[in-house]
Amino acid sequence: MDLNRNNMKKIRGLIIFTAIVCLAVIKMDMVMKGIFFGFGILKPFIYGAVAAFVLNIPMSAMEKRIFGKTKNPNMQKAKRPVSILLSFAVIILAMAIVAVTVVPQLAKTMMELGNKIPAFLGSLQTSLEQLFASRPELAVMLDELDIDSINWESVLSGIVDFMKNGLGSVVTSTVIMASTIIGGVVNLFVSLVFSFYVLAQKEKLGNQVKRIMHAYFSKNLYERTLEIASLANRNFTYFITGQCMEAVILGSMFVVAMVIFRFPYALLVGVLIAFTALIPIVGAFIGCFVGTFLIMVDDPVKAVWFLVLFIVLQQIEGNLIYPHVVGNSVGLPSIWVLAAVTVGGSLMGVAGMLIFIPIVSTVYALLREDVNKKNNGRIKI
C-alpha cells in the first residue's frame, strides 16, 4: 500500500513538473520578462556578491600573513575590518594608478592632436590643389555634377525639422542618462555595502547555507554539493590570481621591450595593457589600440613598429605564457583554456571569457574523476 502511495506521489509530482515546464514554454515571453525583472532587482546584490568573492582573496591573504601569528585578542578582533579596508584600498589604489597614468596622457595627446589638425587640413588642401592641377579631368568631372539642381530649400527645411525633433530627443536622452547615472551610483553603493557585510560575516553566512542544505538535502547530495562548491571556489580563486599574474607579466614585457627599442610612453602603455589584460586573451588588444593611437600622434612610423612588437609579444604571451600560467593555476590543459575563452566570449562576451575558464575547469575535474572511477584506475586522464 505504501509503495503504491509513493508511486502516486512521484507520478503526481512528475505531472505537476511537466505542466509547469509546458506553461513556461508557452509563456516564454512572460517568463523572460520575469527573469529580467528579478535580475534588475537583485543586480546590486549579485554584483556585491561577486565583488565580495574577488575581495575575499586579498582579504584572506592579509588575515593569514599580517594577523596570522598574533595572539593579541584586540588584534584578532580588528583583523577582519582592517583586512577588508586594506583590500578595498588596494583595488582603489590600482584603479587610481591606472587613471593617474593614463587619463592625463590621453588628454595631452588629444590636445596635441587638436593642435595638429589645422596644419593637417592645410596640407590636405595643398595636396588636393596639386592633384586637381596635375589631373584636369577631375575638375571636368566635378563641373559635370549638376549641383544647381539640388533643392536647397528642401534640404534646409529637412535640417530645421531634424533640429526641432532632435531637441526633444536630446532632452529625453538627457533625462534617461541622468536617471541611469543616479541609478548606477545607487546600485554601486548598495553593492559595496552588501559586499562589506558578506566579507565581514562570511563564516556565519556559510554556516547558515550548510545548515539549510543539511536540512533539505540527503546526506550524499549534501556532501557532493559541498565537494563541488569547494572545487569551484578553488578554481575561481586560482583563476583570478593567475589572471592577475599574467597581466603583470604581460605589462612588464611591454615596458621592458619598449624601453629597449626606445618607444615613447613605455610605462603608460605597459600599465594600460596590464590593466586591460585582465580580460582573457583579447583584453590586451584594447591597450594596443590606445597605445598605437598615442604613439601615432608622436611618430606614425614608430606606431607601425609598435604594432609589430605587439604581435610578437602577444603571440609569445597567448601561446606560451597564458595557457601555462592560467591553465596550470586552474588545472586545465592549455587547449581547453583557449576553447573556454572562445566559447565563453561567443556566448556572453567579456563576462563569458572571465567565468568560463573556471567553469570548464570544474567540469573537467569532475568528468576526469568520474571517468577514472569508472575505469577503476586502469586508464587515467
Side-chain angles (χ1 to χ4, degrees), residues 117-127:
I117 286 178
F120 171 75
L121 292 177
S123 62
L124 178 62
Q125 181 180 358
T126 303
S127 300

Side-chain angles (χ1 to χ4, degrees), residues 120-185:
F120 171 75
L121 292 177
S123 62
L124 178 62
Q125 181 180 358
T126 303
S127 300
L128 289 175
E129 291 175 353
Q130 294 176 353
L131 177 63
F132 279 99
S134 61
R135 303 289 296 274
E137 63 271 16
L138 294 178
V140 174
M141 293 174 60
L142 187 62
D143 292 336
E144 292 178 353
L145 294 176
D146 193 6
I147 300 178
D148 295 333
S149 63
I150 299 176
N151 189 349
W152 294 106
E153 292 183 1
S154 176
V155 173
L156 181 61
S157 177
I159 294 174
V160 172
D161 292 338
F162 174 79
M163 294 296 294
K164 289 181 179 179
N165 297 328
L167 183 61
S169 301
V170 168
V171 174
T172 304
S173 301
T174 303
V175 173
I176 294 175
M177 183 178 297
S179 61
T180 302
I181 292 174
I182 294 174
V185 172

Side-chain angles (χ1 to χ4, degrees), residues 302-319:
K302 286 187 177 180
V304 176
W305 284 110
F306 173 75
L307 287 175
V308 175
L309 176 66
F310 175 82
I311 293 173
V312 174
L313 294 182
Q314 183 66 18
Q315 290 297 317
I316 295 174
E317 182 268 345
N319 294 300

Side-chain angles (χ1 to χ4, degrees), residues 171-223:
V171 174
T172 304
S173 301
T174 303
V175 173
I176 294 175
M177 183 178 297
S179 61
T180 302
I181 292 174
I182 294 174
V185 172
V186 173
N187 288 339
L188 177 62
F189 178 76
V190 173
S191 299
L192 292 177
V193 173
F194 183 71
S195 65
F196 186 90
Y197 278 107
V198 170
L199 290 172
Q201 303 180 12
K202 66 174 186 176
E203 290 83 5
K204 183 178 180 180
L205 292 173
N207 184 51
Q208 290 175 346
V209 172
K210 289 181 180 179
R211 290 172 61 187
I212 293 173
M213 291 169 52
H214 191 272
Y216 293 100
F217 290 4
S218 65
K219 181 179 179 181
N220 292 334
L221 181 59
Y222 170 76
E223 294 177 351

